[in-house]
mmCIF file of all heavy atoms in Angstrom:
data_model
loop_
_atom_site.group_PDB
_atom_site.id
_atom_site.type_symbol
_atom_site.label_atom_id
_atom_site.label_comp_id
_atom_site.label_asym_id
_atom_site.label_seq_id
_atom_site.Cartn_x
_atom_site.Cartn_y
_atom_site.Cartn_z
ATOM 1 N N LYS A 67 0.812 -1.215 0.000
ATOM 2 C CA LYS A 67 0.000 0.000 0.000
ATOM 3 C C LYS A 67 0.849 1.269 0.000
ATOM 4 O O LYS A 67 0.412 2.314 -0.481
ATOM 5 C CB LYS A 67 -0.934 0.000 1.211
ATOM 6 C CG LYS A 67 -2.019 -1.066 1.148
ATOM 7 C CD LYS A 67 -2.957 -0.965 2.337
ATOM 8 C CE LYS A 67 -4.067 -2.001 2.240
ATOM 9 N NZ LYS A 67 -5.004 -1.916 3.401
ATOM 10 N N GLY A 68 2.042 1.161 0.558
ATOM 11 C CA GLY A 68 2.883 2.346 0.593
ATOM 12 C C GLY A 68 4.179 2.079 1.315
ATOM 13 O O GLY A 68 4.459 0.968 1.769
ATOM 14 N N ILE A 69 4.999 3.113 1.417
ATOM 15 C CA ILE A 69 6.279 3.046 2.099
ATOM 16 C C ILE A 69 6.407 4.292 2.970
ATOM 17 O O ILE A 69 5.577 5.215 2.888
ATOM 18 C CB ILE A 69 7.456 2.985 1.104
ATOM 19 C CG1 ILE A 69 7.396 4.180 0.125
ATOM 20 C CG2 ILE A 69 7.458 1.675 0.339
ATOM 21 C CD1 ILE A 69 8.559 4.242 -0.824
ATOM 22 N N GLY A 70 7.434 4.342 3.788
ATOM 23 C CA GLY A 70 7.596 5.532 4.611
ATOM 24 C C GLY A 70 8.804 5.443 5.510
ATOM 25 O O GLY A 70 9.592 4.491 5.454
ATOM 26 N N ALA A 71 8.958 6.458 6.350
ATOM 27 C CA ALA A 71 10.092 6.532 7.263
ATOM 28 C C ALA A 71 9.664 7.188 8.564
ATOM 29 O O ALA A 71 8.766 8.043 8.579
ATOM 30 C CB ALA A 71 11.242 7.321 6.636
ATOM 31 N N VAL A 72 10.311 6.788 9.651
ATOM 32 C CA VAL A 72 10.158 7.439 10.945
ATOM 33 C C VAL A 72 11.522 7.968 11.358
ATOM 34 O O VAL A 72 12.509 7.226 11.364
ATOM 35 C CB VAL A 72 9.625 6.471 12.018
ATOM 36 C CG1 VAL A 72 9.523 7.180 13.372
ATOM 37 C CG2 VAL A 72 8.266 5.906 11.614
ATOM 38 N N ILE A 73 11.595 9.248 11.682
ATOM 39 C CA ILE A 73 12.845 9.877 12.093
ATOM 40 C C ILE A 73 12.769 10.188 13.585
ATOM 41 O O ILE A 73 11.881 10.913 14.032
ATOM 42 C CB ILE A 73 13.094 11.182 11.314
ATOM 43 C CG1 ILE A 73 13.069 10.922 9.803
ATOM 44 C CG2 ILE A 73 14.417 11.820 11.731
ATOM 45 C CD1 ILE A 73 13.072 12.193 8.978
ATOM 46 N N ASP A 74 13.687 9.621 14.341
ATOM 47 C CA ASP A 74 13.817 9.933 15.764
ATOM 48 C C ASP A 74 15.058 10.814 15.953
ATOM 49 O O ASP A 74 16.071 10.623 15.279
ATOM 50 C CB ASP A 74 13.997 8.663 16.592
ATOM 51 C CG ASP A 74 12.704 7.892 16.751
ATOM 52 O OD1 ASP A 74 11.723 8.499 17.186
ATOM 53 O OD2 ASP A 74 12.691 6.686 16.444
ATOM 54 N N GLY A 75 14.983 11.757 16.878
ATOM 55 C CA GLY A 75 16.167 12.517 17.258
ATOM 56 C C GLY A 75 16.366 13.826 16.539
ATOM 57 O O GLY A 75 17.362 14.516 16.794
ATOM 58 N N CYS A 76 15.448 14.204 15.666
ATOM 59 C CA CYS A 76 15.592 15.504 15.005
ATOM 60 C C CYS A 76 15.250 16.597 16.027
ATOM 61 O O CYS A 76 14.191 16.559 16.652
ATOM 62 C CB CYS A 76 14.662 15.614 13.800
ATOM 63 S SG CYS A 76 14.862 17.155 12.866
ATOM 64 N N PRO A 77 16.120 17.566 16.217
ATOM 65 C CA PRO A 77 15.859 18.611 17.223
ATOM 66 C C PRO A 77 14.572 19.377 16.940
ATOM 67 O O PRO A 77 14.168 19.541 15.778
ATOM 68 C CB PRO A 77 17.088 19.525 17.097
ATOM 69 C CG PRO A 77 18.144 18.685 16.480
ATOM 70 C CD PRO A 77 17.423 17.744 15.561
ATOM 71 N N ALA A 78 13.936 19.835 17.991
ATOM 72 C CA ALA A 78 12.741 20.653 17.843
ATOM 73 C C ALA A 78 13.104 22.040 17.338
ATOM 74 O O ALA A 78 14.216 22.526 17.548
ATOM 75 C CB ALA A 78 12.027 20.770 19.186
ATOM 76 N N GLY A 79 12.158 22.661 16.633
ATOM 77 C CA GLY A 79 12.346 24.032 16.172
ATOM 78 C C GLY A 79 12.930 24.171 14.792
ATOM 79 O O GLY A 79 13.148 25.301 14.318
ATOM 80 N N LEU A 80 13.175 23.043 14.094
ATOM 81 C CA LEU A 80 13.722 23.119 12.741
ATOM 82 C C LEU A 80 12.597 23.405 11.749
ATOM 83 O O LEU A 80 11.643 22.624 11.652
ATOM 84 C CB LEU A 80 14.401 21.803 12.369
ATOM 85 C CG LEU A 80 14.945 21.710 10.944
ATOM 86 C CD1 LEU A 80 16.154 22.623 10.773
ATOM 87 C CD2 LEU A 80 15.311 20.263 10.589
ATOM 88 N N PRO A 81 12.669 24.497 11.002
ATOM 89 C CA PRO A 81 11.651 24.746 9.969
ATOM 90 C C PRO A 81 11.695 23.637 8.920
ATOM 91 O O PRO A 81 12.764 23.325 8.394
ATOM 92 C CB PRO A 81 12.077 26.099 9.375
ATOM 93 C CG PRO A 81 12.911 26.737 10.432
ATOM 94 C CD PRO A 81 13.639 25.603 11.111
ATOM 95 N N LEU A 82 10.541 23.035 8.644
ATOM 96 C CA LEU A 82 10.479 21.919 7.711
ATOM 97 C C LEU A 82 9.812 22.381 6.417
ATOM 98 O O LEU A 82 8.629 22.706 6.406
ATOM 99 C CB LEU A 82 9.706 20.757 8.322
ATOM 100 C CG LEU A 82 10.040 19.381 7.767
ATOM 101 C CD1 LEU A 82 11.446 18.986 8.131
ATOM 102 C CD2 LEU A 82 9.064 18.331 8.295
ATOM 103 N N ASP A 83 10.579 22.412 5.359
ATOM 104 C CA ASP A 83 10.107 22.862 4.057
ATOM 105 C C ASP A 83 9.559 21.667 3.283
ATOM 106 O O ASP A 83 10.326 20.893 2.696
ATOM 107 C CB ASP A 83 11.263 23.529 3.300
ATOM 108 C CG ASP A 83 10.830 24.184 2.004
ATOM 109 O OD1 ASP A 83 9.747 23.845 1.500
ATOM 110 O OD2 ASP A 83 11.592 25.022 1.479
ATOM 111 N N ILE A 84 8.246 21.494 3.284
ATOM 112 C CA ILE A 84 7.627 20.351 2.613
ATOM 113 C C ILE A 84 7.855 20.420 1.105
ATOM 114 O O ILE A 84 8.043 19.385 0.450
ATOM 115 C CB ILE A 84 6.121 20.290 2.917
ATOM 116 C CG1 ILE A 84 5.887 20.242 4.439
ATOM 117 C CG2 ILE A 84 5.495 19.064 2.255
ATOM 118 C CD1 ILE A 84 6.508 19.056 5.120
ATOM 119 N N ASP A 85 7.846 21.614 0.540
ATOM 120 C CA ASP A 85 8.079 21.750 -0.904
ATOM 121 C C ASP A 85 9.476 21.264 -1.274
ATOM 122 O O ASP A 85 9.667 20.632 -2.316
ATOM 123 C CB ASP A 85 7.900 23.209 -1.333
ATOM 124 C CG ASP A 85 6.452 23.664 -1.252
ATOM 125 O OD1 ASP A 85 5.554 22.798 -1.301
ATOM 126 O OD2 ASP A 85 6.220 24.884 -1.146
ATOM 127 N N TYR A 86 10.454 21.560 -0.425
ATOM 128 C CA TYR A 86 11.818 21.088 -0.677
ATOM 129 C C TYR A 86 11.871 19.562 -0.596
ATOM 130 O O TYR A 86 12.494 18.905 -1.440
ATOM 131 C CB TYR A 86 12.786 21.704 0.334
ATOM 132 C CG TYR A 86 14.183 21.125 0.263
ATOM 133 C CD1 TYR A 86 15.050 21.471 -0.771
ATOM 134 C CD2 TYR A 86 14.634 20.208 1.219
ATOM 135 C CE1 TYR A 86 16.322 20.927 -0.845
ATOM 136 C CE2 TYR A 86 15.900 19.665 1.149
ATOM 137 C CZ TYR A 86 16.743 20.032 0.115
ATOM 138 O OH TYR A 86 18.004 19.485 0.032
ATOM 139 N N MET A 87 11.219 18.997 0.412
ATOM 140 C CA MET A 87 11.193 17.549 0.543
ATOM 141 C C MET A 87 10.559 16.903 -0.681
ATOM 142 O O MET A 87 11.061 15.900 -1.205
ATOM 143 C CB MET A 87 10.418 17.154 1.802
ATOM 144 C CG MET A 87 10.469 15.667 2.123
ATOM 145 S SD MET A 87 9.387 15.222 3.512
ATOM 146 C CE MET A 87 10.069 16.259 4.801
ATOM 147 N N GLN A 88 9.473 17.489 -1.169
ATOM 148 C CA GLN A 88 8.816 16.951 -2.354
ATOM 149 C C GLN A 88 9.699 17.074 -3.587
ATOM 150 O O GLN A 88 9.748 16.171 -4.429
ATOM 151 C CB GLN A 88 7.487 17.670 -2.578
ATOM 152 C CG GLN A 88 6.624 17.030 -3.659
ATOM 153 C CD GLN A 88 6.237 15.603 -3.316
ATOM 154 O OE1 GLN A 88 5.663 15.342 -2.270
ATOM 155 N NE2 GLN A 88 6.575 14.676 -4.203
ATOM 156 N N ALA A 89 10.425 18.174 -3.686
ATOM 157 C CA ALA A 89 11.341 18.361 -4.818
ATOM 158 C C ALA A 89 12.438 17.297 -4.810
ATOM 159 O O ALA A 89 12.849 16.804 -5.877
ATOM 160 C CB ALA A 89 11.947 19.759 -4.768
ATOM 161 N N GLU A 90 12.921 16.943 -3.628
ATOM 162 C CA GLU A 90 13.925 15.889 -3.533
ATOM 163 C C GLU A 90 13.346 14.550 -3.988
ATOM 164 O O GLU A 90 14.000 13.786 -4.708
ATOM 165 C CB GLU A 90 14.439 15.780 -2.097
ATOM 166 C CG GLU A 90 15.323 16.928 -1.657
ATOM 167 C CD GLU A 90 16.624 16.953 -2.427
ATOM 168 O OE1 GLU A 90 17.538 16.169 -2.106
ATOM 169 O OE2 GLU A 90 16.736 17.773 -3.374
ATOM 170 N N LEU A 91 12.122 14.261 -3.589
ATOM 171 C CA LEU A 91 11.467 13.029 -4.023
ATOM 172 C C LEU A 91 11.233 13.025 -5.530
ATOM 173 O O LEU A 91 11.331 11.983 -6.186
ATOM 174 C CB LEU A 91 10.147 12.846 -3.281
ATOM 175 C CG LEU A 91 10.274 12.322 -1.853
ATOM 176 C CD1 LEU A 91 8.986 12.549 -1.079
ATOM 177 C CD2 LEU A 91 10.623 10.834 -1.861
ATOM 178 N N ASP A 92 10.924 14.176 -6.089
ATOM 179 C CA ASP A 92 10.706 14.270 -7.534
ATOM 180 C C ASP A 92 11.978 13.951 -8.312
ATOM 181 O O ASP A 92 11.924 13.457 -9.441
ATOM 182 C CB ASP A 92 10.214 15.675 -7.907
ATOM 183 C CG ASP A 92 8.787 15.942 -7.433
ATOM 184 O OD1 ASP A 92 8.091 14.972 -7.077
ATOM 185 O OD2 ASP A 92 8.395 17.119 -7.401
ATOM 186 N N ARG A 93 13.128 14.238 -7.727
ATOM 187 C CA ARG A 93 14.401 13.918 -8.384
ATOM 188 C C ARG A 93 14.611 12.406 -8.460
ATOM 189 O O ARG A 93 15.278 11.913 -9.377
ATOM 190 C CB ARG A 93 15.573 14.537 -7.622
ATOM 191 C CG ARG A 93 15.581 16.063 -7.578
ATOM 192 C CD ARG A 93 16.682 16.563 -6.655
ATOM 193 N NE ARG A 93 18.009 16.285 -7.183
ATOM 194 C CZ ARG A 93 19.099 16.128 -6.447
ATOM 195 N NH1 ARG A 93 19.005 16.179 -5.115
ATOM 196 N NH2 ARG A 93 20.269 15.903 -7.002
ATOM 197 N N ARG A 94 14.062 11.674 -7.511
ATOM 198 C CA ARG A 94 14.248 10.220 -7.464
ATOM 199 C C ARG A 94 13.112 9.436 -8.116
ATOM 200 O O ARG A 94 13.309 8.298 -8.570
ATOM 201 C CB ARG A 94 14.363 9.768 -6.000
ATOM 202 C CG ARG A 94 14.855 8.314 -5.810
ATOM 203 C CD ARG A 94 14.062 7.591 -4.737
ATOM 204 N NE ARG A 94 12.703 7.333 -5.164
ATOM 205 C CZ ARG A 94 12.284 6.181 -5.706
ATOM 206 N NH1 ARG A 94 13.109 5.174 -5.849
ATOM 207 N NH2 ARG A 94 11.006 6.040 -6.083
ATOM 208 N N ARG A 95 11.936 10.034 -8.209
ATOM 209 C CA ARG A 95 10.735 9.271 -8.547
ATOM 210 C C ARG A 95 10.832 8.650 -9.947
ATOM 211 O O ARG A 95 11.544 9.158 -10.827
ATOM 212 C CB ARG A 95 9.496 10.160 -8.449
ATOM 213 C CG ARG A 95 9.307 11.158 -9.574
ATOM 214 C CD ARG A 95 7.984 11.908 -9.406
ATOM 215 N NE ARG A 95 7.764 12.843 -10.491
ATOM 216 C CZ ARG A 95 7.229 12.514 -11.668
ATOM 217 N NH1 ARG A 95 6.859 11.263 -11.887
ATOM 218 N NH2 ARG A 95 7.064 13.416 -12.607
ATOM 219 N N PRO A 96 10.105 7.556 -10.166
ATOM 220 C CA PRO A 96 10.085 6.917 -11.485
ATOM 221 C C PRO A 96 9.302 7.748 -12.487
ATOM 222 O O PRO A 96 8.576 8.678 -12.128
ATOM 223 C CB PRO A 96 9.390 5.583 -11.205
ATOM 224 C CG PRO A 96 8.517 5.865 -10.020
ATOM 225 C CD PRO A 96 9.286 6.841 -9.178
ATOM 226 N N GLY A 97 9.477 7.413 -13.757
ATOM 227 C CA GLY A 97 8.707 8.051 -14.814
ATOM 228 C C GLY A 97 9.093 9.482 -15.114
ATOM 229 O O GLY A 97 8.349 10.214 -15.777
ATOM 230 N N GLN A 98 10.280 9.925 -14.674
ATOM 231 C CA GLN A 98 10.654 11.323 -14.866
ATOM 232 C C GLN A 98 11.298 11.604 -16.215
ATOM 233 O O GLN A 98 11.462 12.751 -16.597
ATOM 234 C CB GLN A 98 11.594 11.776 -13.743
ATOM 235 C CG GLN A 98 12.891 10.986 -13.638
ATOM 236 C CD GLN A 98 13.760 11.435 -12.489
ATOM 237 O OE1 GLN A 98 14.532 12.368 -12.638
ATOM 238 N NE2 GLN A 98 13.630 10.791 -11.337
#
């Protein structure tokens, strides 16, 4: 049904740029 990851230990207060994360996934994704 899907895949995923759990990250433990990342410090609090880090701004998380979802668009950047998606751009990184787009570089790896199939069919590009």
Side-chain angles (χ1 to χ4, degrees):
K67 292 183 178 180
I69 55 176
V72 178
I73 304 170
D74 285 307
C76 184
L80 176 70
L82 205 67
D83 187 341
I84 304 300
D85 291 337
Y86 172 75
M87 187 186 301
Q88 189 62 56
E90 288 294 281
L91 282 164
D92 289 345
R93 296 173 68 207
R94 192 223 70 96
R95 75 176 182 84
Q98 60 182 274

